[in-house]
Amino acid sequence: MTGGGAVYGPISSYSRVRILHLLFEAGTVESRPELTIGELCDATGLHPNTVREHLQRLIDGGYVIQSIEHRTTRGRPRVLYSAATGMPEASSPVARDKVAEAARRGDMMRRILAEEDSGLGREATYQLDALIEHLEESGFEPVIDERELTVELSPCPHAASAPEHRPTLCQVHLGLMQGVLNQAGGPLAADCVRAAARPEECTVQLRLDAA
């Protein structure tokens, strides 16, 4: 991903990766897409203060949303946490601001460089602006092939991670990228992490959905 192998942001800590993975999984359960700190502690084995610290960093980064439980009975409402997937019902104000700024900077750079239209369209171009900024903010140096719709992130700094951690890392990273694309709004989606012959290889395949 980066030449120096330094990763920042949500996937720089495997504890945060585990928390995000749990929140992404909870988001697939329509009846209960949120989790409490207690539930996250039970699932990860982490101390509540540690979980709170990780959650705050994820909220500040626009990756997690905090809400207060709506109660119909007496009792103190619980604080609930969910993954910011970029969909209308799970959108973070921080993430929205990041996407808007990415589009503004992208437009400025295109004017300076007098770049020609890629042919993908305005919405997809803004999606790529947001995705590139997200990846660069996380310490990566993405190379995007707009014709093949691939994002090259080799060499992957997670190559030395424990083999049993790699599937979760890849799944969470793909989910974060999809969240950015959803937040920007447009036809591009993060399809999959391509199978690789070597651990240091990482290529993400994008998909252009029909209008």
Side-chain angles (χ1 to χ4, degrees), residues 87-210:
M87 302 303 287
E89 68 279 5
S91 177
S92 160
V94 175
R96 289 197 294 271
D97 289 345
K98 284 184 176 182
V99 165
E101 281 300 303
R104 184 187 64 78
R105 284 189 285 266
D107 280 341
M108 182 175 65
M109 289 303 299
R110 281 183 285 275
R111 286 195 297 270
I112 292 172
L113 299 174
E115 290 183 350
E116 295 183 4
D117 188 346
S118 65
L120 290 174
R122 182 183 180 89
E123 287 186 340
T125 297
Y126 285 157
Q127 283 183 292
L128 291 179
D129 288 340
L131 184 60
I132 289 170
E133 291 225 358
H134 160 69
L135 292 168
E136 290 180 342
E137 183 183 73
S138 297
F140 305 124
E141 294 179 355
V143 177
I144 294 183
D145 186 325
E146 295 182 358
R147 183 182 297 274
E148 298 296 327
L149 293 181
T150 58
V151 184
E152 183 63 46
L153 298 172
S154 300
C156 175
H158 295 297
S161 300
E164 63 270 23
H165 291 172
R166 291 297 298 277
T168 301
L169 282 162
C170 290
Q171 187 176 350
V172 168
H173 193 197
L174 192 68
L176 290 170
M177 293 175 68
Q178 183 58 50
V180 171
L181 294 172
N182 286 342
Q183 187 65 69
L188 289 177
D191 197 26
C192 65
V193 178
R194 283 186 175 182
R198 296 178 299 172
E200 63 270 21
E201 295 176 348
C202 181
T203 304
V204 176
Q205 181 68 56
L206 303 180
R207 181 181 73 250
L208 186 62
D209 290 333

Side-chain angles (χ1 to χ4, degrees), residues 14-34:
Y14 190 66
S15 292
R16 283 198 294 277
V17 169
R18 291 169 67 195
I19 290 170
L20 278 169
H21 186 247
L22 290 165
L23 293 176
F24 278 134
E25 285 192 325
T28 65
V29 181
E30 187 174 344
S31 60
R32 178 74 194 285
E34 308 100 348

